[in-house]
Amino acid sequence: MSKSVSRVVLAATAVAALGLLTACGGDDSDGDKKSGKSSEKTAEKTPGGEKPAAPPLSKAALDKAVLAKSDVKGFEIETMTEKEFTDGGEAKAAKAECQPVAQLMGAKTNPAPKASAYVTFASAGASKAGSGGMGMIRVSSYADSGAEQTLKDLKGALGTCAGGFAATDGTGDKADVSKVEQLTAPKLGDEALAFTVTDADKKDGGTVKFTVVRSGAHVSVIFGVDLMNPHKPVLPETVVSAQVAKLEKALAK
């Protein structure tokens, strides 16, 4: 794959020559300043007003709410550090309306999360054999309505940018997208989106499958690829559902 589909994930999975897409943004130290409010606020309602939303989890709590090796059988799961993720820089779309998708290829998002936790996953033996499905999970907490806005912006971009768009990755290198295809989203969390993003590089590019789930003030972004068949990405439902279930269990405490 191209440079835009390498770098960050591979530092954690020790398969740097194989290539994967860097997933959506890292934490922003300005996140709290932009919100103007403390994460201690606890009693906001969800958009439907049915139940009070859990307060945004801290970094320490998110680290416990993201998947661990013992949570899903048949997968190797490794923790990814903040530095490994944010080293990817900021990706930019030529068209502002496509930025919510483009920022999935870099280490900064708007709205910025209050805190994030990251892990990579791979089918058992995939990282050693250089084959099979693998990907990354990022779970983030947001102040105020940041989680809702994230899903709203992304949903709009998926419709507007289906035909692809010009973009650059975190290093400023060309990282154009040829197609964005919406898929049937799983019935998880308060709302969810599923889609694929295809690299415009016909020689070295590939397709990445994303599922994005909002659970109150929290967003889980999970993406996967198939290293043996770059244009037919793999994102196991067991990984997605296990991550959302673990996060929501933490929120229920």
Side-chain angles (χ1 to χ4, degrees), residues 5 8 40 45 97 102 104 116 129 151 180 186 223 226 241 249:
V5 278
V8 175
E40 297 300 319
K45 295 281 186 177
E97 57 266 33
L104 298 181
S116 296
L151 270 289
V180 179
F223 80 81
D226 187 341
S241 58
K249 183 178 181 179

Side-chain angles (χ1 to χ4, degrees), residues 125-174:
S127 60
K128 294 180 180 180
S131 62
M134 58 176 59
M136 179 179 165
I137 299 170
R138 169 182 172 263
V139 181
S140 300
S141 60
Y142 290 81
D144 303 324
S145 59
E148 291 92 334
Q149 190 65 48
T150 295
L151 270 289
K152 180 180 179 180
D153 291 347
L154 184 53
K155 185 175 182 180
L158 293 180
T160 303
C161 306
F165 54 90
T168 55
D169 65 13
T171 67
D173 289 342
K174 186 175 180 180

Side-chain angles (χ1 to χ4, degrees), residues 151 154-155 158 181-196 209-214 235 237 240 244:
L151 270 289
L154 184 53
K155 185 175 182 180
L158 293 180
E181 183 178 2
Q182 295 191 60
L183 306 173
T184 300
K187 295 181 179 179
L188 296 171
D190 294 309
E191 54 182 324
L193 296 170
F195 54 96
T196 59
K209 185 175 181 179
F210 286 88
T211 296
V212 181
V213 182
R214 182 179 68 82
L235 183 54
E237 293 181 7
V240 175
V244 175

Side-chain angles (χ1 to χ4, degrees), residues 171-240:
T171 67
D173 289 342
K174 186 175 180 180
D176 295 349
V177 169
S178 64
K179 181 174 65 173
V180 179
E181 183 178 2
Q182 295 191 60
L183 306 173
T184 300
K187 295 181 179 179
L188 296 171
D190 294 309
E191 54 182 324
L193 296 170
F195 54 96
T196 59
V197 177
T198 299
D199 193 316
D201 186 336
K202 294 182 179 180
K203 180 180 179 181
D204 298 317
T207 300
V208 184
K209 185 175 181 179
F210 286 88
T211 296
V212 181
V213 182
R214 182 179 68 82
S215 302
H218 304 78
V219 176
S220 299
V221 179
I222 305 105
F223 80 81
V225 299
D226 187 341
L227 299 176
M228 293 297 291
N229 197 339
H231 288 285
K232 292 186 177 181
V234 174
L235 183 54
E237 293 181 7
T238 53
V239 172
V240 175

Side-chain angles (χ1 to χ4, degrees), residues 58-138:
S58 65
K59 169 63 174 173
L62 286 174
D63 287 340
K64 295 180 180 179
V66 76
L67 286 183
K69 292 181 180 180
S70 59
D71 292 325
V72 185
K73 294 182 179 180
F75 292 90
E76 300 172 2
I77 297 177
E78 300 291 340
T79 299
M80 190 174 190
T81 68
E82 191 74 29
K83 185 179 186 303
E84 286 171 331
F85 185 78
T86 57
D87 276 351
E90 180 181 6
K92 296 181 179 180
K95 296 181 179 180
E97 57 266 33
C98 298
Q99 183 61 22
V101 176
Q103 67 186 14
L104 298 181
M105 297 183 289
K108 186 176 182 180
T109 57
N110 182 27
K114 293 188 70 63
S116 296
Y118 321 87
V119 296
T120 60
F121 66 87
S123 300
S127 60
K128 294 180 180 180
S131 62
M134 58 176 59
M136 179 179 165
I137 299 170
R138 169 182 172 263

